[in-house]
Amino acid sequence: MILITGATGGLGSALAKLYSEESPVLLSGRSEAKLAALAQTLSGDVTTSVADLMDENQIVQLLDTLPETPKMIFHCAGSGCFGPIETQSAKSLTQLVENNLTSTMLFLKALVSRYQNQPVTVAVVMSTAAQVAKANESTYCAVKWGVRGLLESLRIELKGKPMKLVGVYPGGMATEFWVTSGTDMDTSSFMTGEEAATMLKQAMPSTKHGYVSDITINRQ
Amino acid sequence: MILITGATGGLGSALAKLYSEESPVLLSGRSEAKLAALAQTLSGDVTTSVADLMDENQIVQLLDTLPETPKMIFHCAGSGCFGPIETQSAKSLTQLVENNLTSTMLFLKALVSRYQNQPVTVAVVMSTAAQVAKANESTYCAVKWGVRGLLESLRIELKGKPMKLVGVYPGGMATEFWVTSGTDMDTSSFMTGEEAATMLKQAMPSTKHGYVSDITINRQ
Amino acid sequence: MILITGATGGLGSALAKLYSEESPVLLSGRSEAKLAALAQTLSGDVTTSVADLMDENQIVQLLDTLPETPKMIFHCAGSGCFGPIETQSAKSLTQLVENNLTSTMLFLKALVSRYQNQPVTVAVVMSTAAQVAKANESTYCAVKWGVRGLLESLRIELKGKPMKLVGVYPGGMATEFWVTSGTDMDTSSFMTGEEAATMLKQAMPSTKHGYVSDITINRQ
Amino acid sequence: MILITGATGGLGSALAKLYSEESPVLLSGRSEAKLAALAQTLSGDVTTSVADLMDENQIVQLLDTLPETPKMIFHCAGSGCFGPIETQSAKSLTQLVENNLTSTMLFLKALVSRYQNQPVTVAVVMSTAAQVAKANESTYCAVKWGVRGLLESLRIELKGKPMKLVGVYPGGMATEFWVTSGTDMDTSSFMTGEEAATMLKQAMPSTKHGYVSDITINRQ
């Protein structure tokens, strides 16, 4: 069983397509309509579950939906907000923080509580914006650096436990993400969500004593 | 004129004391009672202004209170929340994010909008938790890494402008911060807020072509 | 064609085995005897070439040996030196720096000169010691941080060019590396060089617009 | 007593001037002539000692010259080498590594051996090139990242001991460094070595429980 959050956008939906071809998947997002539309395009054992990860009760319900302990969880939920900081509204900043950092805290808190002693791999999808500072992405970098600090610290808390955290850092994807975030960037040479998903999926299989703990995927 | 946020706690109040001896200061915090009590202990040209930095209007009012462009701003506001992530409530996580990251975004947004073309030095007080990952401080590290990502990105946006951002990273201070955050740590060998303030203040004077852009202060 | 340096040890020989099953490979190392012994165990189109990467002429000769532009180059050459710094001899420190940092500078200089305008992927194998500081590995961390700084800077120089640099960060492998470096560590739960090579190889295939630029492989 | 290595150049000679006004200083460098010329310009208790830090015996002799345990040591020795990597000769790369990384390993090894249980503060002068990657400074960044990895690791080895390591990261100084390294940069807006030395010196005094462990000094 594989759980994917943020399954209706970019990398999430591409992962949903790839994994649903070989495993039962539970797809989550905030929009019931988008989840239904996505499920329509997929065959295989596909379940959907609407959840707002800012609400702890909805996180509990989402995890209760799982018929078994998931082998892998891809946490793709997130949103963007770009431009010079003085052009960003208080409302959009607050939502950016909630959508990316606070919700990830609540989601990882629930996963750690429930699964820390089980062999569950949790891939947390961030961005190359979590690794460097960027002009006109100051608040987006802020929340992604925040998620990275959370991930790196939780790894130390989980040391020696079977639950594993994988940091995923994609850069420069051409997804609707850029459209909805209001930027005007030419994304024609960017990699697609499908390409990033393909590379992420092929890198995920672990061995008896090892696993890929961090992976950065960039455009050519 | 020097503006200090989070002036009623730890490093903030120690900076208030030191700078009020030689310059007009405007002290800000969320508690009117604490600000009044602090002002009682200080002589010199001391003004206080209550402001909740999660509210953009209150940030505007705070800055409007200033009779002139401040030469230096020390942004000390922040709060702590510690322990394994599964022991932290959703409410405390949400407040942690707001008190440290979202409010800093809103405050720096206002400062950049208003002062980017003036010689204002803004010292953003974080913590050594912004530089490394730590077990049992996962969410605190997350918000501090977030502030650091914000600061580093804004620096690039401000390149060539007279407004300067200074990153301040104190570690291991013995302030009431640790008491109110519910930890049970022996802080007898920690440095005091006064010590950290003394070292920070002595490092701040800039020269014609240079300034201290980042400073980490640790206990011996 | 695939070129592997440091092919006689740990990860290098495991990569040699895996890639020689499907592609012509050129294996390089400093020991002719070890290279010959390794080649004996492999079938397929295997060539060996002795080269000391501290000698620019030998680097030129090594690259001249290649019958065509290599598609991928795995730079695995390196050595270890551990323990508190005061226990390490001047000679072993000097060799550590040469074996890991200076030789990598010379090798990457030659690769950039020759291949920067061709679609060559160069995977530079470092260690998790390039990402964090570690007691009793101070000089090893130093040289690995150095290689990382080189790689990250060269990436900026190569921006927009078809030559790609991949950062590989394995941690905790059970190879003869630990024996020859004189440590006394229990490596029974470490991953083998074969495991790390398997995960690295499966992560390497790129897509039209994207590639894995950095990968960290840890033991479970 | 204060010991300064690399005392004949840039920041080193500016520190020599400032500290010699108030404390006995021992100044070291590789050029006897330059040391003598520098000493001529200084009053106070000034001693000079020629030492090549690539030679362990000369390091021992240098430290034996000290009449007492030094309170502070400023390790300023280093050199530069810039431009695209393919334009740098093998000889200049090798010297760059020796002058910056290998010699610092040997020097810090000697200091740790001799002083780890004494209250000695060792300020290791690097560069902002130790903190970020830069095009056309790939090998310079490499050696500076290396020194930083060494420093950060030794700090963990020294944890709880009275010897302290301070990381100093100056950026954009207008010293003869740039002339001798063959770059053609306009340094008129850069800060002078005197400015950087002034800011570093004013930041160095520690308190009972605390000290400045890292300081970055940038041009305005």
Side-chain angles (χ1 to χ4, degrees):
Chain A
M1 191 81 194
I2 288 169
L3 167 62
I4 301 174
T5 72
T8 59
L11 183 58
S13 73
L15 287 168
K17 183 169 190 327
L18 289 178
Y19 278 104
S20 66
E21 290 165 5
E22 60 186 50
S23 166
V25 294
L26 172 59
L27 309 180
S28 180
R30 286 187 296 189
S31 160
E32 188 159 11
K34 283 189 186 172
L35 281 173
L38 172 64
Q40 285 283 10
T41 68
L42 305 175
S43 52
D45 184 349
V46 175
T47 320
T48 63
S49 180
V50 177
D52 179 345
L53 303 182
M54 277 300 288
D55 180 341
E56 274 206 308
N57 291 327
Q58 294 189 41
I59 293 174
V60 168
Q61 282 168 12
L62 171 63
L63 299 180
D64 284 346
T65 305
L66 289 160
E68 59 180 20
T69 299
K71 212 179 96 191
M72 283 197 282
I73 298 171
F74 291 92
H75 178 49
C76 305
S79 68
C81 180
F82 303 95
I85 194 171
E86 61 268 36
T87 65
Q88 301 180 26
S89 72
K91 189 182 170 191
S92 63
L93 292 185
T94 304
Q95 285 180 341
L96 178 78
V97 173
E98 290 179 357
N99 287 344
N100 290 282
L101 183 56
T102 316
S103 55
T104 299
M105 283 185 182
L106 294 173
F107 186 56
L108 289 182
K109 175 194 164 185
L111 296 181
V112 168
S113 301
R114 200 176 277 234
Y115 298 130
Q116 63 183 290
N117 294 310
Q118 292 177 263
V120 176
T121 297
V122 180
V124 178
V125 177
M126 289 166 278
S127 159
T128 51
Q131 300 173 321
V132 291
K134 303 188 188 192
N136 298 325
E137 303 193 18
S138 64
T139 54
Y140 187 65
C141 287
V143 294
K144 294 304 188 188
W145 284 47
V147 174
R148 191 182 182 195
L150 180 71
L151 176 83
E152 299 283 359
S153 298
L154 287 177
R155 271 183 181 157
I156 308 177
E157 293 186 19
L158 292 172
K159 200 171 177 189
K161 305 221 169 190
M163 184 177 173
K164 299 296 169 205
L165 299 179
V166 176
V168 181
Y169 303 91
M173 276 190 294
T175 69
E176 73 275 27
F177 186 85
W178 293 93
V179 179
T180 56
S181 62
T183 57
D184 194 30
M185 202 174 285
D186 174 12
T187 60
S188 59
S189 71
F190 283 24
M191 60 181 163
T192 61
E194 285 71 25
E195 290 180 86
T198 298
M199 287 184 280
L200 177 55
K201 182 168 181 288
Q202 76 194 5
M204 288 297 288
S206 58
T207 61
K208 187 175 174 196
H209 303 97
Y211 74 111
V212 170
S213 59
D214 293 280
I215 184 167
T216 304
I217 303 173
N218 263 302
R219 72 183 131 135
Q220 295 268 9
Chain B
M1 191 79 194
I2 288 169
L3 167 61
I4 302 174
T5 73
T8 60
L11 182 58
S13 73
L15 287 168
K17 182 168 189 331
L18 290 178
Y19 277 104
S20 66
E21 289 165 6
E22 60 186 49
S23 165
V25 293
L26 172 60
L27 309 180
S28 179
R30 285 186 297 189
S31 160
E32 188 159 12
K34 285 189 186 173
L35 281 172
L38 172 64
Q40 284 283 11
T41 69
L42 304 175
S43 53
D45 184 350
V46 175
T47 320
T48 62
S49 180
V50 177
D52 179 346
L53 303 181
M54 277 300 289
D55 180 342
E56 275 206 308
N57 292 326
Q58 294 189 40
I59 293 175
V60 167
Q61 282 168 12
L62 171 63
L63 298 180
D64 284 347
T65 304
L66 288 160
E68 59 181 18
T69 299
K71 212 179 96 191
M72 282 197 283
I73 298 170
F74 290 93
H75 177 49
C76 305
S79 68
C81 180
F82 303 95
I85 194 171
E86 61 268 35
T87 67
Q88 300 179 27
S89 72
K91 190 181 169 192
S92 63
L93 291 185
T94 304
Q95 285 180 342
L96 179 78
V97 173
E98 289 179 358
N99 288 344
N100 291 282
L101 183 56
T102 316
S103 53
T104 299
M105 284 184 181
L106 294 173
F107 186 57
L108 289 182
K109 176 193 164 186
L111 296 181
V112 168
S113 302
R114 199 175 278 233
Y115 298 129
Q116 62 184 291
N117 294 311
Q118 293 177 262
V120 177
T121 298
V122 181
V124 178
V125 177
M126 291 167 278
S127 160
T128 51
Q131 299 173 321
V132 290
K134 304 188 187 192
N136 299 324
E137 303 192 18
S138 64
T139 55
Y140 187 65
C141 287
V143 293
K144 294 304 188 189
W145 285 47
V147 174
R148 192 182 182 194
L150 180 70
L151 176 84
E152 299 282 0
S153 298
L154 287 178
R155 269 184 182 155
I156 309 177
E157 293 186 18
L158 292 172
K159 200 172 177 190
K161 305 221 168 188
M163 184 179 173
K164 299 297 170 203
L165 300 179
V166 177
V168 181
Y169 303 90
M173 276 189 293
T175 69
E176 72 276 26
F177 186 85
W178 293 93
V179 179
T180 55
S181 62
T183 58
D184 193 28
M185 206 174 282
D186 174 13
T187 61
S188 58
S189 71
F190 283 24
M191 60 181 163
T192 61
E194 285 71 24
E195 291 180 86
T198 299
M199 288 184 280
L200 177 54
K201 181 167 180 289
Q202 77 194 3
M204 288 297 290
S206 58
T207 61
K208 186 175 177 197
H209 302 97
Y211 73 110
V212 170
S213 60
D214 294 280
I215 183 166
T216 304
I217 303 173
N218 262 302
R219 72 182 130 139
Q220 296 267 8
Chain C
M1 192 81 195
I2 288 168
L3 167 62
I4 301 174
T5 73
T8 59
L11 182 59
S13 74
L15 287 168
K17 184 168 188 327
L18 289 178
Y19 278 104
S20 67
E21 290 165 5
E22 61 187 49
S23 165
V25 293
L26 173 60
L27 310 180
S28 179
R30 286 186 297 188
S31 161
E32 187 158 14
K34 283 189 186 172
L35 281 173
L38 171 63
Q40 284 283 11
T41 67
L42 305 175
S43 53
D45 184 349
V46 175
T47 319
T48 63
S49 180
V50 177
D52 180 346
L53 303 182
M54 278 299 290
D55 181 340
E56 274 207 307
N57 293 326
Q58 294 189 41
I59 293 173
V60 167
Q61 282 168 12
L62 171 63
L63 299 180
D64 284 346
T65 305
L66 288 160
E68 59 180 21
T69 299
K71 212 178 95 191
M72 282 197 283
I73 298 172
F74 291 92
H75 177 49
C76 305
S79 68
C81 181
F82 304 95
I85 193 170
E86 61 267 36
T87 66
Q88 300 180 26
S89 72
K91 190 181 169 192
S92 63
L93 291 185
T94 304
Q95 286 181 342
L96 179 78
V97 173
E98 290 178 359
N99 288 344
N100 291 282
L101 183 56
T102 316
S103 54
T104 299
M105 282 184 183
L106 295 172
F107 186 57
L108 289 182
K109 175 194 165 185
L111 296 182
V112 168
S113 302
R114 199 175 277 234
Y115 299 129
Q116 61 183 293
N117 294 310
Q118 293 177 264
V120 176
T121 297
V122 181
V124 178
V125 177
M126 290 166 279
S127 159
T128 51
Q131 300 173 321
V132 291
K134 303 187 188 192
N136 298 323
E137 302 193 18
S138 64
T139 54
Y140 187 65
C141 287
V143 294
K144 293 304 187 189
W145 284 47
V147 174
R148 192 181 182 196
L150 180 69
L151 176 83
E152 299 283 0
S153 298
L154 287 177
R155 270 184 183 156
I156 308 178
E157 293 186 18
L158 291 172
K159 200 172 177 190
K161 305 221 169 189
M163 184 178 173
K164 299 296 168 203
L165 299 179
V166 177
V168 181
Y169 303 91
M173 276 189 294
T175 70
E176 74 276 26
F177 186 86
W178 294 93
V179 179
T180 56
S181 62
T183 58
D184 194 29
M185 205 174 282
D186 174 12
T187 60
S188 59
S189 70
F190 283 24
M191 60 181 163
T192 61
E194 286 71 24
E195 290 181 86
T198 299
M199 287 184 280
L200 176 55
K201 182 168 180 287
Q202 77 194 3
M204 288 296 290
S206 58
T207 59
K208 187 176 177 197
H209 302 98
Y211 73 110
V212 170
S213 60
D214 294 280
I215 183 166
T216 304
I217 302 174
N218 264 301
R219 72 183 131 136
Q220 295 268 7
Chain D
M1 192 80 196
I2 288 169
L3 167 61
I4 301 174
T5 73
T8 59
L11 182 59
S13 74
L15 287 168
K17 185 169 188 328
L18 290 179
Y19 277 104
S20 66
E21 290 166 5
E22 60 185 50
S23 165
V25 294
L26 172 59
L27 310 180
S28 180
R30 286 185 297 188
S31 160
E32 189 159 12
K34 285 190 186 171
L35 281 173
L38 171 64
Q40 285 281 13
T41 68
L42 305 175
S43 53
D45 184 350
V46 175
T47 321
T48 62
S49 180
V50 177
D52 180 345
L53 303 182
M54 276 301 288
D55 180 341
E56 273 207 310
N57 292 326
Q58 295 189 41
I59 292 174
V60 168
Q61 282 168 11
L62 171 63
L63 298 180
D64 284 346
T65 304
L66 289 161
E68 59 180 20
T69 299
K71 212 179 95 190
M72 282 198 282
I73 299 170
F74 290 93
H75 177 49
C76 305
S79 68
C81 181
F82 304 95
I85 194 170
E86 61 267 36
T87 66
Q88 301 179 27
S89 73
K91 190 182 169 191
S92 63
L93 291 185
T94 304
Q95 286 181 342
L96 178 77
V97 173
E98 289 179 0
N99 287 345
N100 291 282
L101 183 56
T102 316
S103 55
T104 298
M105 283 184 183
L106 294 173
F107 186 57
L108 290 183
K109 175 194 164 185
L111 296 182
V112 168
S113 301
R114 199 175 277 234
Y115 298 130
Q116 61 184 294
N117 295 310
Q118 293 177 262
V120 177
T121 298
V122 181
V124 179
V125 176
M126 292 168 276
S127 160
T128 51
Q131 300 173 321
V132 290
K134 303 187 188 191
N136 298 324
E137 302 192 18
S138 64
T139 56
Y140 187 65
C141 287
V143 294
K144 294 304 188 189
W145 284 47
V147 175
R148 190 181 183 196
L150 180 69
L151 176 83
E152 300 282 0
S153 298
L154 287 177
R155 270 183 182 157
I156 308 178
E157 292 186 18
L158 292 171
K159 199 171 177 189
K161 306 221 168 190
M163 183 178 174
K164 299 296 169 203
L165 300 178
V166 177
V168 181
Y169 303 90
M173 276 189 294
T175 70
E176 72 277 26
F177 187 85
W178 293 94
V179 179
T180 55
S181 63
T183 57
D184 194 27
M185 206 173 282
D186 174 12
T187 60
S188 58
S189 70
F190 283 24
M191 60 180 161
T192 62
E194 285 70 25
E195 291 180 85
T198 298
M199 287 185 279
L200 176 54
K201 182 168 179 288
Q202 76 194 5
M204 288 298 288
S206 58
T207 60
K208 187 176 175 195
H209 303 98
Y211 72 112
V212 170
S213 59
D214 293 280
I215 183 166
T216 304
I217 303 173
N218 263 302
R219 73 183 129 137
Q220 297 267 8

